Amino acid sequence: MKPEYLITLADPAQIPDLFRGPFLKGHREPRLAVVGRSNVGKSTLINALLQAKLAQVSKQPGKTRAIHFYLWKVIDRIIADLPGYGYARASWSERDRWEEFIRHYFDTDENLEGVILLLDARHGPTEADLEAIQFLRGREVLMKVVFSKSDTLKTQSMRAQRKKAASEALGKLGIAADAIFWVSSQTRQGLPELIREMKKGWEHA
Ligand SMILES: Nc1nc2c(ncn2[C@@H]2O[C@H](COP(=O)(O)OP(=O)(O)OP(=O)(O)O)[C@@H](O)[C@H]2O)c(=O)[nH]1
Ligand SMILES: [Mg+2]
């Protein structure tokens, strides 16, 4: 039941070749996309979830520049590592390119089951995160909000304060508390609950 690297989508020109109806390169498992700001910990989370070192992690933001798909056999899904947005040094044209690329992927993938929107437990949601939420809302894709790096909130009062602020900000956007998760890929805190939720399906997200 080892997870497997499947394929990288680096250019929209590959799309007609890779996607056939519900299939991605011959695979029918539903897709879960991990979306979030550059450096928020998407690739690290995927490695922690899959318990493998498949996705490339870096201290330098902007590491993941293409969409990487992995076969997560334990829950029979394909998990997609998307390029991060809001990379400070990215030019405007590059930002447009992100949105264009992601939009194209979301429009193409008939078998996209849901999106994990990863926000930083210390800062989220930022302006860029709110834009991403609007964008995803517009796509009518089911979404769960996951706060990463919760190990960096060292005290009980910091955690309580951040959770309150985050649930208020997200509540205003109609995101219910039960679609919000707090995890650390480093300590694995919150991961079992998240995996359980991902297995359960997405119809009530
Ligand atoms: N403390 C802590 N650090 C983390 C955690 N998850 C990721 N990091 C660190 O955050 C940095 C960025 O992680 P990545 O997984 O490469 O981030 P990404 O979102 O894939 O970044 P891009 O590919 O640039 O979009 C790395 O230095 C990780 O070690 C976590 O749960 N806790
Ligand atoms: Mg990455």
Side-chain angles (χ1 to χ4, degrees):
M1 296 280 264
K2 271 196 179 161
E4 251 174 54
Y5 162 77
L6 207 57
I7 189 112
T8 295
L9 180 60
D11 190 314
Q14 292 170 273
I15 283 178
D17 219 36
L18 291 183
F19 291 89
R20 296 275 155 81
F23 293 94
L24 164 61
K25 211 191 155 203
H27 286 272
R28 217 203 156 112
E29 293 84 352
R31 264 75 74 177
L32 300 175
V34 181
V35 176
R37 224 154 38 87
S38 192
N39 212 42
V40 71
K42 298 176 295 297
S43 302
T44 308
L45 176 67
I46 289 175
N47 286 336
L49 289 170
L50 274 57
Q51 300 195 270
K53 285 208 170 101
L54 291 170
Q56 268 200 49
V57 170
S58 166
K59 287 203 191 322
Q60 268 179 345
K63 184 72 196 171
T64 309
R65 312 300 285 165
I67 305 180
H68 303 290
F69 295 93
Y70 304 96
L71 191 54
W72 187 4
K73 295 175 194 162
V74 174
I75 70 162
D76 259 326
R77 301 290 200 287
I78 289 169
I79 193 155
D81 190 4
L82 269 63
Y85 54 77
Y87 172 40
R89 277 187 289 165
S91 62
W92 277 107
S93 62
E94 205 154 341
R95 288 184 203 183
D96 289 348
R97 195 186 154 269
W98 182 88
E99 199 175 311
E100 200 55 41
F101 189 31
I102 305 303
R103 174 169 292 147
H104 203 112
Y105 164 64
F106 281 2
D107 285 346
T108 304
D109 195 345
E110 285 180 21
N111 211 356
L112 178 66
E113 188 179 25
V115 170
I116 297 278
L117 178 66
L118 204 57
L119 308 183
D120 190 312
R122 293 163 296 183
H123 321 296
T126 65
E127 202 57 44
D129 294 329
L130 296 175
E131 279 174 31
I133 290 171
Q134 298 301 351
F135 170 83
L136 293 167
R137 277 280 159 90
R139 315 313 297 167
E140 289 179 9
V141 62
L142 297 172
M143 174 169 56
K144 293 183 199 300
V145 177
V146 176
F147 282 91
S148 66
K149 309 190 187 183
S150 65
D151 57 281
T152 60
L153 304 176
K154 296 290 183 203
T155 65
Q156 184 61 39
S157 83
M158 263 167 91
R159 285 193 289 273
Q161 196 188 334
R162 285 296 305 135
K163 284 189 179 178
K164 187 164 174 279
S167 66
E168 271 172 21
L170 294 172
K172 278 189 198 145
L173 301 169
I175 296 169
D178 62 0
I180 304 175
F181 298 83
W182 296 76
V183 305
S184 164
S185 301
Q186 220 165 67
T187 64
R188 305 194 61 82
Q189 183 200 342
L191 293 184
E193 292 83 351
L194 180 61
I195 294 173
R196 210 176 312 131
E197 187 71 19
M198 290 168 89
K199 267 191 211 162
K200 224 163 63 181
W202 290 68
E203 63 274 19
H204 302 301

